[in-house]
Amino acid sequence: MRYHNITHDDMKNGDGLRVVLWVAGCSHNCIGCQNPVTWDPNGGLPFDEEARNEIYDQLSKKYISGITFSGGDPFHVMNIQEVRKLAAEIKEKYPEKTVWVYTGELWENIKDDVLMKYTDVLVDGPYMQELGDNTLRWKGSRNQRVIDVNESLKSEKVVLHCPEY
């Protein structure tokens, strides 16, 4: 896996203050994407122990609510194995922290993926420029959903996280 950035104290990509891992690699190629530099799976930097330790250092801070995986796409073939592994490690080491995942994939196609076992909130669906709306919370276009993963898995239907947004 490769990545482009690790953002500290992020307030835009999930509840509370978060650390965000921006992975490299996305095959959705959404028109109007906010981060097209992350599409190339060979771009950015190799995800190594130094990057992992930087994430753990951030997560060890009491005021950090959790981690968000974005990019790029965490579900890209070049990312998914390492994202699953890292999410599992984080949930074990920091069970009080939340895990958010942004993906262009749809819930219906990935709900059975093992990554969902470690994910609290999933923002699904490709960005659609014609449905773009910069007043939306935690998402870029109206087709995307901010899904409460645990409740959705329990009820076997999509349950939105903060449905008023």
Side-chain angles (χ1 to χ4, degrees), residues 17-151:
L17 288 173
R18 313 187 65 73
V19 58
V20 181
L21 175 62
W22 302 89
V23 298
C26 183
S27 57
H28 298 288
N29 302 328
C30 302
I31 296 169
C33 173
Q34 67 158 352
N35 216 353
V37 70
T38 65
W39 292 356
D40 181 359
N42 298 310
L45 305 165
F47 187 78
D48 57 13
E49 280 306 306
E50 185 178 337
R52 180 183 256 81
N53 291 338
E54 181 178 348
I55 288 170
Y56 288 157
D57 179 60
Q58 291 302 304
L59 289 170
S60 70
K61 297 175 181 177
K62 290 192 186 301
Y63 66 85
I64 295 296
S65 299
I67 186 166
T68 299
F69 294 97
S70 193
D73 191 337
F75 275 89
H76 187 277
V77 67
M78 299 298 286
N79 299 324
I80 189 61
Q81 294 292 357
E82 186 69 27
V83 170
R84 285 178 187 136
K85 180 181 172 190
L86 185 57
E89 289 173 8
I90 288 168
K91 276 299 191 181
E92 184 173 323
K93 190 169 181 156
Y94 305 100
E96 73 285 1
K97 306 290 183 172
T98 59
V99 173
W100 283 52
V101 176
Y102 280 76
T103 182
E105 301 296 330
L106 295 176
W107 165 258
E108 290 78 8
N109 299 330
I110 60 174
K111 64 183 175 162
D112 296 324
D113 191 279
V114 71
L115 179 57
M116 293 303 101
K117 179 179 176 182
Y118 309 109
T119 302
D120 297 287
V121 178
L122 177 77
V123 182
D124 83 331
Y127 173 76
M128 299 178 99
Q129 189 170 28
E130 66 276 13
L131 298 175
D133 182 344
N134 63 8
T135 67
L136 298 171
R137 192 170 188 188
W138 302 312
K139 58 185 183 175
S141 58
R142 289 186 299 280
N143 63 297
Q144 294 172 313
R145 299 173 290 183
V146 182
I147 299 170
D148 182 320
V149 172
N150 295 323
E151 289 302 314

